[in-house]
Amino acid sequence: MDAVALQLLLGRTPGLSAPLLRTVLDRAGALAEGVMGLAALVGERPPLLRSLGLAARTSAWLRAPDAALLEADRRWAEREGIELLDALGALYPPQLSQLEGAPALLYVQGEAACLSRPQLAIVGTRNPTVPGRYTAMEFAMSLAHAGLAITSGLARGIDAAGHEGALSAGGATIAVLGAGLDRIYPPEHAPLAARIAAQGALVSEFPRDSRPRSANFPRRNRIISGLSLGTLVVEAAHHSGSLITARLALEQGRRVFAIPGSIHNPLARGCHALIRSGARLVETTADIFDEIAISVGKQGCSSGGGDADRVTAAARQLDKGSKILLDALGFESASVNTLVERTGIPTQSVASMLLILELVGAVGSQAGGHYVRL
């Protein structure tokens, strides 16, 4: 078998992590050969393989791998331009290589070198508020502009906003999937995935045809945090899956950052819990760069970037009534009727002013006829 065949074999081998792979090959006296050392184990008797520390299912696969399946994997990888990064090769990301449970093989579509760049993970709820989505995009833009690659999980909500922010800044972004690279999930993010592959990388430890099962996503999360210098959580409920990523980051010895929110916002409770547990409270990107070892320019250490400045400038041009309405809105969502009660301004006028404020980017509309201040 050639090196590609052995990499594809590695990707299909159950129960074989990067550390276990190194240990087994070392015991077999084949570690110096890199992935080619795996050839010494293929076809061996299960008792011998188990004596090297391999589980029964791992030994059974190495004893008799499915040649037709591996050939189909090769054709797919060649057709789609998939790069294979095995844990014994020089291109395997060093940040991930340090972890106890690192995968033995990564499938990558896009620029594999991105995985070795300094990265920051941005994660959060799949159902963010308008300000939460805006905040994730703005932080991603600023961090990407400063030279960090933005890593997330391609999920709806905050994940997608982080990817979009990095892309808008012309920076690199990395999406770690909880399925095979041929199974983009959620399906509606296929166009976003294509843009990420063109300006960064799509990554998975799961082989072709792997479906997005629920058990896959905690495994995906450990790669998101493992690739990154730190993890920034933007809006997360108390039992959010994003907190799993944050917990994994702490276990991996990585920094965890959280953006606080209103005590009335249930999506701020997860972030507040993280802060109480020792996560760094973040108000600007400078708070992040204070904690991670990376050199950035002054321009990269802003809290909102150009869009926020433009909104502030536009707000200065609003008439007195619109400014009163903006003050009455505060930083919580409110309906038109609530704003009428707070200001005494007629309903029709409130509706018109809200439209103007939305056009200049000062407020955003939510489901149910509510508005929030940006």
Side-chain angles (χ1 to χ4, degrees):
M1 302 178 77
D2 63 13
V4 172
L6 288 168
Q7 286 178 313
L8 293 167
L9 171 73
L10 191 56
R12 292 277 183 183
T13 304
L16 190 58
S17 66
L20 180 57
L21 172 65
R22 298 187 191 101
T23 298
V24 168
L25 290 184
D26 189 38
R27 289 172 180 170
L31 183 58
E33 299 175 39
V35 75
M36 293 303 298
L38 192 63
L41 306 182
V42 178
E44 282 290 349
R45 293 176 295 107
L48 174 62
L49 295 173
R50 288 198 294 273
S51 72
L52 295 173
L54 295 173
R57 60 177 184 148
T58 310
S59 301
W61 167 255
L62 291 174
R63 176 73 176 89
D66 187 333
L69 179 62
L70 296 178
E71 181 56 32
D73 287 345
R74 182 194 285 267
R75 290 195 298 270
W76 164 74
E78 291 174 349
R79 182 176 65 252
E80 301 298 330
I82 306 298
E83 290 194 60
L84 307 171
L85 305 186
D86 66 79
L88 304 171
L91 292 179
Y92 195 87
Q95 279 281 108
L96 192 62
S97 181
Q98 303 169 12
L99 304 185
E100 183 178 347
L105 184 78
L106 294 173
Y107 301 86
V108 181
Q109 188 172 36
E111 183 55 62
C114 284
L115 273 65
S116 295
R117 290 184 55 177
Q119 300 167 47
L120 190 95
I122 295 182
V123 298
T125 179
R126 287 172 169 77
N127 299 290
T129 63
V130 173
R133 186 185 299 275
Y134 180 85
T135 297
M137 287 190 66
E138 286 291 289
F139 267 83
M141 289 174 66
S142 185
L143 292 164
H145 182 66
L148 285 169
I150 303 302
T151 301
S152 198
L154 198 67
R156 301 178 181 95
I158 295 299
D159 284 25
H163 291 307
E164 290 282 5
L167 291 169
S168 297
T173 184
I174 296 162
V176 185
L177 276 59
L181 292 183
D182 61 332
R183 301 270 185 169
I184 299 299
Y185 182 83
E188 66 267 24
H189 282 179
L192 175 59
R195 292 167 58 207
I196 292 171
Q199 199 167 311
L202 302 175
V203 185
S204 179
E205 67 175 307
F206 301 103
R208 177 184 60 88
D209 281 343
S210 297
R211 297 180 181 277
R213 297 173 179 169
S214 58
N216 292 356
F217 291 97
R219 293 177 60 182
R220 174 204 65 175
N221 293 348
R222 89 189 191 289
I223 296 179
I224 292 174
S225 58
L227 284 169
S228 306
L229 297 170
T231 295
L232 173 65
V233 183
V234 183
E235 287 197 336
H238 196 65
H239 298 291
S240 170
S242 303
L243 302 187
I244 296 175
T245 309
R247 175 178 58 78
L248 290 168
L250 289 172
E251 292 175 358
Q252 294 162 351
R254 308 295 161 80
R255 298 286 195 273
V256 175
F257 307 94
I259 295 178
S262 167
I263 60 172
H264 302 295
N265 180 6
L267 295 178
R269 290 173 187 164
C271 292
H272 293 170
L274 288 173
I275 292 167
R276 285 194 296 270
S277 299
R280 173 71 183 261
L281 186 153
V282 169
E283 294 177 315
T284 73
T285 53
D287 297 327
I288 294 173
F289 291 119
D290 284 345
E291 294 285 332
I292 59 176
I294 179 175
S295 177
V296 297
K298 183 177 179 181
Q299 190 173 4
C301 297
S302 62
S303 60
D307 286 349
D309 293 338
R310 285 191 293 275
V311 169
T312 301
R316 293 194 188 103
Q317 305 304 316
L318 297 173
D319 60 33
K320 182 178 179 181
S322 294
K323 289 180 180 179
I324 291 172
L325 186 64
L326 194 60
D327 289 339
L329 182 57
F331 291 93
E332 297 293 333
S333 64
S335 66
V336 171
N337 289 339
T338 298
L339 292 171
V340 170
E341 292 175 2
R342 290 177 181 174
T343 63
I345 300 173
T347 301
Q348 187 173 356
S349 298
V350 167
S352 297
M353 285 187 285
L354 284 172
L355 177 60
I356 294 171
L357 290 170
E358 190 171 8
L359 289 173
V360 301
V363 304
S365 58
Q366 293 183 311
H370 282 65
Y371 291 82
V372 289
R373 183 171 178 172
L374 300 178

